[in-house]
Amino acid sequence: MKAGTVLVVDDEPAIHRFMTPALTANGYEPLRADTGSEALALVANRRPDAVILDLGLPDMDGKEVIRRLREWSAVPILILSARDREVEKIEALDLGADDFINKPFGMGELMARLRAALRHRMQEKGETPVLRLGTVEVDIPRHRVTRAGEEVKLTPKEFDLLAFLVRHGGKVLTHRQILREVWGPAHEHDTQYLRVYVGQLRAKIEDDPASPALIVTEPGVGYRMGG
Amino acid sequence: MSVEEPPRADPEALLAAAEREARGQLRIFLGAAPGVGKTYAMLNAARAARTGGRDVVAGIIETHGRAETQALVEGLEMLPRKAIAYRGRLVPEFDLEAALARRPSLLLVDEYAHSNVEGSRHPKRWQDVQEILAAGIDVWTTLNIQHVESLNDVVQRITGVRVRETVPDTALQKADEIILVDLPSDELIKRLADGKVYVEDTATRAVQSFFKPSNLTALRELALRRVAARVDSDLVERMQGSAIEGPWAAGERLLVCVGPDGTAERVVREAKRLADLMDASWFAVTVERPGHVMASRDRARLDAGMRLAETLGAETRALVASDLPGELLRFARFENVTQIIIGKARRRGPFGSLRRSLADALVRASDGIAVHVVTAEAREAGPGMGWRSRLPPAGPISGFLAAGLGVAGATLIGLLLTRVVALPNVSMLYLLAVLLPALLHGVWPAIFASGLSFLAYNFFFIDPVETFTVARPHELLALMVFLIVAVIISAIAGRAREQARLAARRMRSTRRLYDFTRKLSALPDEARVAEAAVVELHATLGRASVILLAREGSLAIAAAWPPEDRLDTASMTAANWAFERGEAAGAGTGTLPTAPWLFRPLGGTDGGRRIGVIGIEHDGAGTPLDTEIEGLLGTLVEQTAAALLRTMLSAEVTRVRTAAETERVRNILLASISHDFRTPLASILGAATSLIDYGPNIPAEARQDLLIQMRDEAENLDLMVRNLLSMTRLEAGALDLRRDWVDVVELMNRAVAAVKKRGATQRLVVTAAPDLPLVQADPSLMDQALGNVVANAVRYAGREARIGLSATVIDGQMVIAVTDDGPGIPADTLPHVFEKFVRAPRAAGDGGDGSGLGLAITRGIVEAHGGSVSARSPAPGQRSGTRIALRLPLGPEAPTEEKA
């Protein structure tokens, strides 16, 4: 069965060379683009289920590709990035990319990220009022959270934060995105709030708050919802 | 200070206190006369201090064999004296170095006013003490009141004995504490009679007159007043320091006008006494007229007066104005001076009255300012401001000869003319004969001509002719008028000439200074600035000059003119002193005056860096430089320091910039390496993990391709590592060529094969001229050199490009060219393509960015073979594209036959 169409955008032929057989072996249908404009055209024509995008493209900045795609498409975007370009990566995530992976990478990890992004997209399509994250269930309309069936008491802010994170499960959220959505645009840079609340949430919902599995820290970038 | 202002601590008072804190404290035991027991009192206090736990050392104590004093010395640590050879005998002196090395907490130094024997570091002991204080060591010392500089005159008047060893008042003012050691006069005389007072042999003749009760009483009064004044000023300083409103606000300010006559010294001392009595600050000023030349004797007297004023604590100023009283009063009003002191020489003769006019003019115009006039004996007085002093020296004899000839000529013309026409006024001719030498040769030949004309006119033209008698009275009158007119013309014309000469000289010296500054500012480095500066100094001052600069902590000669590469020990010591203290040292100064050079520090003013010293060789006499040369030297030293500092700073800037550039290159290299390595690594890791995780799901063919990709990328990485290594070796000059016979066609084919293996899609064509000779080259390095060029073409020319490799022999050189029909290299990048880290903009969709090293390595390798590289874009005969050519020299005996 076809797990979906995946567009790989990279100007290095070598990347396509190993990516194509790997994606095919995992049941995806690979599409290839070498430039940003080629990528934009292919997304419009072939409607891929996910895009794997290298930020360094010869004809336009990878961030520009994300900006233009996000104007009309919600397709999950996975960024291929270099470790020394942290700032670029955060900007790309702020622009609406879903996740990132640092070069060089193992194929298993890439496939896992791809699956998570696609699953998250399915979930969004379903628009279920009750979201699940491991053993934690979040009932958005009734403001109730249970862990292994037992109710967890959360402050309103904690609930807002958890709801926002769970709604974007499988996606990397930057500090700025979370702060803007949960605390408001005036608090975009108050990362200390975030650290305190995330600590409290972890204490309440994680099995082992010392090595969290649900709210995973992406150092210097933000948080990723696991489970 | 206005009344409304809140009291504020006087910064100068605070500063003085702060400065004193870092320095050692100075306590002076002051006595009215020898024998009052100063040394005894000092030793007693020192013993008490030692018992109190202080580290007390006696630097030098003169016990004069007195038992009581000797007993007090027992048990005190005593520095051994230093023997200094002077006129064939050894004089034991205070050992300054030993004292500085010992660094006690408190040092006792007897007899503050002592003059050191020649060859010591300082001429005076009080200067030794200043150095010890500067090193942070406390000093106690003893002093008799008659040794105080400003009291010198007074003491002489009281006792009739001239004291030669004096201590400047500033050295006394620097004392933190003055303790009066007093003894009633009768008791002192009794002690003298008992033989308890030591009197130096040289003074014995004066003993009788000196130790009179009236003298001693007067000296005691002087000492008491001095200490009382000191207590008063301490109080004021403390009040200022803590911003207490006090009675000093409306203080008196004195101004003493120092002239070049013999009264100068007297007037200055008088001013000092008045200033002390009134507790006032005081100025000493000289007023020079523009264009006025001063005789060297006057100049010396004026300088001596000003130097004395400075040592007595006056603030000195040199004013320039033609209106003497006007300028004095203007300055006085500006500085809020309340009293003016001027000297007046009592003089015989008609010119004595000229001098009075200054005092008169001052008194007439000095509204609200008191004027003191100090008179001096006429025999002391010099010519002062009399007209004689303004006249220049007579000049060479030729001027007089010319004047004589002129008069003879005028006489001859006059005689000839009177034969032809009746000339009523022959005297006009003689006026001409006076005017010409005045303009050409100066005043004296002109006056000579006047006298001569007077005689000749009388002799040849006035009846009775050919006698010196004059018959008619009106002709006598005419003759006298002629003489007066002639002399006046001589004087005026001579003065005009003199002033023109002076103006020219001044312009020359200004010009010289300007040239000096300009010359120095154009020089690029320290060594050349120093060289030019000493040559210029020598030319300007007429003395040997040397510049020493601090290099790694010690001074070394940077330049000298006439050339000199070493200085004697005394001079080096003086130079180091000048450098460390930032004060002048050596000949003509208070420090090491026996050294043959005068050293001035370079830089270090206004918080700037001190960079070295400048030395001027002194004339044999050891007299101080006069103010004019001093001023010029000061300016030259400043200009030199500025120029040297400029070159040093610019050298530093260059150094910093080079470091920054190196840093930038390193960063680019790191970024480029990490980038270039990432893609092959990503491919290898991606392909390997695909095989490991999903191997069974991948078709066999694709599996094979992944494995090949891993191998290719690993080879790519290897190539990059090799390039980097080669670059490093090329840069270090450590590339060793292993030359062998190389077939260029084979070389080109290998390069094509290499890029094809790495997936090149372009059409690659190899062409070669027939019978191509072999070349002597390192095969593997040449592979790399050509490989880089071809790889570059593949990367930049586009996927469908056509790339041609060709080899031909042109002018005894093997030319290997790589030509593509790609987009070409932009004109602004083209000249730099063979430099490191230069990359052309990349065509879309093609391979990764190069490291920017490839072509640089190619050039390095080809040049190591004695060849050259070149790049052209667009390629010759095409509208676009690039042609890179490598030229290798052909060996003379290249074997062509071997080629199969």
Side-chain angles (χ1 to χ4, degrees):
Chain A
M1 65 134 219
K2 280 272 179 264
T5 317
V6 177
L7 171 64
V8 180
V9 190
D10 202 312
D11 62 329
E12 299 282 354
I15 301 290
H16 293 294
R17 194 166 161 194
F18 70 82
M19 213 80 118
T20 308
L23 285 170
T24 314
N26 277 277
Y28 297 103
E29 184 190 335
L31 289 174
R32 169 177 175 162
D34 290 305
T35 63
S37 42
E38 223 177 298
L40 289 171
L42 275 172
V43 174
N45 294 335
R46 305 284 299 271
R47 302 275 168 153
D49 296 293
V51 175
I52 297 173
L53 175 70
D54 184 57
L55 285 178
L57 294 175
D59 61 336
M60 67 170 84
D61 195 329
K63 294 195 291 290
E64 182 60 26
V65 177
I66 301 172
R67 191 176 296 123
R68 294 215 202 154
L69 279 179
R70 279 291 172 259
E71 279 170 13
W72 56 273
S73 166
V75 61
I77 302 173
L78 236 143
I79 306 159
L80 295 182
S81 151
R83 260 178 232 286
D84 53 345
R85 298 200 177 163
E86 204 79 343
V87 181
E88 224 180 5
K89 191 158 70 194
I90 294 171
E91 279 169 9
L93 289 168
D94 276 340
L95 282 169
D98 291 76
D99 204 346
F100 68 89
I101 189 158
N102 284 323
K103 273 187 188 176
F105 48 85
M107 201 45 82
E109 194 189 350
L110 178 70
M111 291 304 159
R113 296 284 166 85
L114 192 59
R115 275 197 302 276
L118 288 167
R119 186 173 63 230
H120 162 61
R121 193 165 179 236
M122 298 301 160
Q123 212 174 39
E124 252 184 9
K125 275 183 183 163
E127 276 300 340
T128 43
V130 181
L131 298 168
R132 209 174 302 251
L133 199 63
T135 56
V136 177
E137 271 189 12
V138 184
D139 188 336
I140 308 257
R142 291 160 72 188
H143 272 232
R144 257 173 60 104
V145 177
T146 57
R147 180 168 157 250
E150 276 182 45
E151 185 165 351
V152 182
K153 290 254 177 253
L154 294 181
T155 68
K157 215 45 164 185
E158 283 170 0
F159 181 83
D160 288 348
L161 175 61
L162 182 62
F164 181 71
L165 292 175
V166 169
R167 210 178 284 133
H168 295 88
K171 195 177 171 211
V172 174
L173 297 166
T174 64
H175 295 134
R176 216 165 98 187
Q177 284 173 328
I178 304 170
L179 284 164
R180 194 171 50 210
E181 288 301 321
V182 181
W183 275 272
H187 297 282
E188 261 181 24
H189 301 290
D190 299 332
T191 46
Q192 73 275 17
Y193 289 7
L194 199 49
R195 292 192 204 292
V196 171
Y197 274 92
V198 166
Q200 288 173 3
L201 263 185
R202 277 175 178 160
K204 289 180 181 175
I205 62 166
E206 293 276 3
D207 289 333
D208 177 8
S211 56
L214 299 178
I215 308 174
V216 184
T217 302
E218 279 294 344
V221 179
Y223 296 95
R224 171 202 305 282
M225 292 310 288
Chain B
M1 191 189 290
S2 84
V3 192
E4 286 88 349
E5 259 182 50
R8 196 158 18 121
D10 176 4
E12 263 175 46
L14 291 175
L15 203 65
E19 203 173 288
R20 269 204 301 266
E21 245 142 65
R23 287 170 63 90
Q25 302 265 313
L26 175 64
R27 180 188 284 185
I28 295 178
F29 291 81
L30 184 72
V36 296
K38 299 178 302 296
T39 307
Y40 187 82
M42 177 173 78
L43 286 170
N44 253 331
R47 288 184 80 92
R50 200 184 55 152
T51 315
R54 285 199 74 174
D55 179 20
V56 183
V57 169
I60 191 157
I61 300 290
E62 307 286 356
T63 60
H64 302 306
R66 268 169 284 182
E68 310 146 36
T69 319
Q70 193 66 48
L72 285 177
V73 175
E74 296 297 320
L76 270 181
E77 185 183 336
M78 197 76 156
L79 284 181
R81 297 193 184 190
K82 185 177 165 188
I84 291 178
Y86 178 65
R87 292 194 183 156
R89 61 197 179 97
L90 289 178
V91 182
E93 277 285 7
F94 167 56
D95 192 345
L96 176 57
E97 272 85 12
L100 289 171
R102 170 63 179 79
R103 286 201 69 85
S105 149
L106 170 62
L107 188 75
L108 309 180
V109 182
D110 211 0
E111 299 199 354
Y112 198 38
H114 176 80
S115 292
N116 289 332
V117 70
E118 219 170 280
S120 308
R121 184 184 298 185
H122 302 290
K124 299 283 185 180
R125 184 171 289 164
W126 65 263
Q127 290 167 315
D128 292 344
V129 169
Q130 295 306 323
E131 192 171 343
I132 295 167
L133 291 171
I137 301 169
D138 290 352
V139 176
W140 289 359
T141 188
T142 62
L143 180 71
N144 283 329
I145 194 74
Q146 76 256 34
H147 293 296
V148 176
E149 177 78 50
S150 66
L151 298 177
N152 199 282
D153 264 12
V154 184
V155 170
Q156 191 188 356
R157 254 182 282 151
I158 294 171
T159 63
V161 177
R162 181 88 181 170
V163 180
R164 298 273 165 219
E165 296 189 328
T166 57
V167 174
D169 291 54
T170 45
L172 190 63
Q173 276 157 14
K174 276 184 185 146
D176 299 276
E177 257 179 286
I178 295 181
I179 291 175
L180 182 70
V181 183
D182 195 26
L183 194 69
S185 312
D186 300 346
E187 222 161 295
L188 180 58
I189 291 170
K190 189 163 164 283
R191 277 174 60 114
L192 182 74
D194 296 348
K196 284 181 177 168
V197 177
Y198 170 82
V199 181
E200 273 179 75
D201 296 342
T202 48
T204 29
R205 60 174 178 83
V207 165
Q208 289 316 310
S209 59
F210 191 85
F211 285 92
K212 280 191 299 194
S214 59
N215 278 359
L216 292 176
T217 308
L219 287 172
R220 272 185 77 198
E221 191 193 331
L222 271 181
L224 285 165
R225 262 169 50 185
R226 193 72 203 206
V227 172
R230 170 61 201 221
V231 169
D232 195 32
S233 78
D234 269 2
L235 178 69
V236 169
E237 206 166 296
R238 245 161 240 162
M239 286 171 88
Q240 282 181 346
S242 41
I244 303 167
E245 296 268 17
W248 69 85
E252 300 276 332
R253 279 161 93 82
L254 270 54
L255 182 150
V256 55
C257 177
V258 181
D261 55 23
T263 59
E265 205 173 310
R266 187 72 170 275
V267 175
V268 168
R269 285 188 200 284
E270 194 59 39
K272 164 68 180 168
R273 249 166 34 83
L274 277 173
D276 281 357
L277 279 176
M278 292 176 208
D279 201 6
S281 63
W282 58 299
F283 294 96
V285 300
T286 61
V287 187
E288 255 189 85
R289 290 189 186 164
H292 171 67
V293 213
M294 203 179 278
S296 64
R297 195 168 58 128
D298 289 349
R299 166 69 65 190
R301 250 201 300 243
L302 189 69
D303 291 347
M306 289 303 268
R307 257 198 299 278
L308 177 69
E310 204 159 2
T311 55
L312 292 180
E315 217 172 296
T316 56
R317 298 282 163 81
L319 309 174
V320 178
S322 45
D323 171 20
L324 200 92
E327 178 63 17
L328 268 182
L329 287 171
R330 194 198 58 75
F331 178 79
R333 295 232 158 79
F334 182 76
E335 293 286 354
N336 292 323
V337 165
T338 53
Q339 313 211 15
I340 297 177
I341 299 121
I342 56 165
K344 184 188 145 197
R346 268 202 302 268
R347 207 186 304 257
R348 288 171 290 264
F351 298 111
S353 57
L354 273 178
R355 179 75 178 153
R356 202 180 301 139
S357 61
L358 173 61
D360 289 346
L362 274 180
V363 170
R364 226 175 290 132
S366 64
D367 195 17
I369 300 179
V371 179
H372 300 248
V373 181
V374 178
T375 50
E377 292 307 319
R379 93 188 126 71
E380 274 182 56
M385 308 286 255
W387 61 276
R388 284 164 69 85
S389 67
R390 281 188 220 137
L391 289 180
I397 197 82
S398 61
F400 294 93
L401 274 176
L405 283 175
V407 174
T411 310
L412 207 64
I413 295 168
L415 288 174
L416 288 173
L417 280 177
T418 41
R419 299 255 166 94
V420 184
V421 288
L423 205 63
N425 244 334
V426 188
S427 61
M428 297 304 275
L429 275 174
Y430 284 106
L431 280 184
L432 202 63
V434 170
L435 197 59
L436 284 176
L439 287 175
L440 296 176
H441 303 288
V443 183
W444 291 111
I447 287 175
F448 174 69
S450 306
L452 216 56
S453 301
F454 171 75
L455 294 175
Y457 184 38
N458 184 355
F459 191 80
F460 290 108
F461 298 100
I462 293 181
D463 291 335
V465 175
E466 291 180 21
T467 64
F468 286 112
T469 50
V470 181
R472 277 165 289 186
H474 80 266
E475 284 193 323
L476 182 67
L477 189 70
L479 208 56
M480 290 319 285
V481 170
F482 167 79
L483 183 64
I484 290 166
V485 169
V487 167
I488 289 172
I489 285 179
S490 309
I492 292 173
R495 275 276 285 285
R497 177 180 169 276
E498 197 52 39
Q499 278 179 356
R501 216 168 52 88
L502 261 177
R505 199 170 70 184
R506 235 167 242 171
M507 209 174 81
R508 266 203 307 279
S509 83
T510 310
R511 170 116 231 143
R512 175 141 237 163
L513 202 61
Y514 170 71
D515 283 347
F516 181 72
T517 314
R518 211 186 40 180
K519 204 177 282 174
L520 290 195
S521 69
L523 291 172
D525 60 59
E526 215 174 287
R528 279 202 262 170
V529 167
E531 191 74 47
V534 289
V535 170
E536 218 43 43
L537 275 168
H538 177 258
T540 309
L541 302 179
R543 298 189 188 198
S545 312
V546 62
I547 286 180
L548 293 101
L549 295 177
R551 298 244 165 82
E552 283 139 28
S554 67
L555 285 178
I557 294 182
W561 195 264
E564 183 78 59
D565 60 0
R566 46 168 310 146
L567 291 174
D568 59 283
T569 323
S571 299
M572 275 316 285
T573 316
N576 277 313
W577 169 277
F579 179 67
E580 276 156 28
R581 300 299 173 98
E583 290 167 19
T589 68
T591 307
L592 297 159
T594 47
W597 295 78
L598 161 68
F599 292 98
R600 289 278 204 97
L602 276 171
T605 48
D606 307 328
R609 190 153 50 114
R610 206 172 297 140
I611 49 180
V613 296
I614 214 161
I616 303 296
E617 195 174 37
H618 228 261
D619 55 358
T623 45
L625 296 171
D626 72 38
T627 25
E628 208 170 317
I629 293 197
E630 184 94 13
L632 186 60
L633 178 62
T635 316
L636 293 177
V637 167
E638 263 170 45
Q639 292 300 334
T640 309
L644 282 171
L645 267 175
R646 177 186 57 76
T647 56
M648 284 176 181
L649 286 177
S650 82
E652 240 157 69
V653 167
T654 313
R655 228 177 357 256
V656 169
R657 214 177 269 161
T658 312
E661 178 64 16
T662 313
E663 182 67 25
R664 194 185 69 87
V665 168
R666 213 198 343 250
N667 287 340
I668 294 175
L669 179 65
L670 281 175
S672 114
I673 290 172
S674 61
H675 178 271
D676 288 350
F677 277 44
R678 195 172 293 124
T679 304
L681 278 174
S683 303
I684 293 170
L685 191 62
T689 48
S690 297
L691 286 170
I692 293 164
D693 294 340
Y694 315 109
N697 297 340
I698 300 174
E701 212 177 304
R703 257 201 325 255
Q704 182 67 15
D705 187 63
L706 284 175
L707 286 169
I708 293 170
Q709 186 183 8
M710 285 162 69
R711 185 201 63 197
D712 290 352
E713 293 294 350
E715 277 174 0
N716 248 339
L717 275 178
D718 178 55
L719 181 70
M720 260 185 263
V721 171
R722 270 203 299 149
N723 268 344
L724 271 174
L725 278 175
S726 305
M727 197 70 235
T728 317
R729 285 215 198 100
L730 277 170
E731 302 227 303
L735 196 70
D736 57 329
L737 299 179
R738 269 182 239 140
R739 285 186 196 258
D740 197 355
W741 292 112
V742 173
D743 182 347
V744 177
V745 179
E746 216 174 277
L747 192 70
M748 293 192 290
N749 285 334
R750 271 207 301 274
V752 170
V755 291
K756 276 194 175 150
K757 206 169 79 181
R758 270 180 268 138
T761 53
Q762 292 80 352
R763 217 144 64 78
L764 290 132
V765 184
V766 175
T767 51
D771 299 330
L772 214 56
L774 299 180
V775 291
Q776 273 267 295
D778 184 314
S780 70
L781 286 177
M782 281 313 295
D783 268 352
Q784 201 179 342
L786 185 62
N788 284 346
V789 179
V790 177
N792 221 54
V794 166
R795 186 175 297 133
Y796 289 103
R799 287 221 250 169
E800 275 84 46
R802 184 179 175 283
I803 298 169
L805 286 80
S806 68
T808 43
V809 174
I810 300 171
D811 298 337
Q813 282 188 316
M814 174 67 72
V815 181
I816 308 168
V818 178
T819 314
D820 66 58
D821 56 0
I825 302 171
D828 53 343
T829 315
L830 191 64
H832 307 293
V833 285
F834 291 107
E835 287 166 21
K836 270 189 295 178
F837 309 122
V838 173
R839 295 177 211 167
R842 198 162 44 109
D846 254 296
D849 282 325
S851 57
L853 281 177
L855 290 185
I857 289 164
T858 299
R859 179 173 72 170
I861 291 172
V862 172
E863 283 176 356
H865 281 88
S868 63
V869 292
S870 63
R872 289 180 70 177
S873 180
Q878 296 181 12
R879 250 179 293 153
S880 65
T882 308
R883 179 174 184 267
I884 304 260
L886 317 181
R887 290 182 178 76
L888 290 172
L890 286 174
E893 75 284 30
T896 46
E897 296 311 307
E898 260 178 66
K899 205 175 123 192

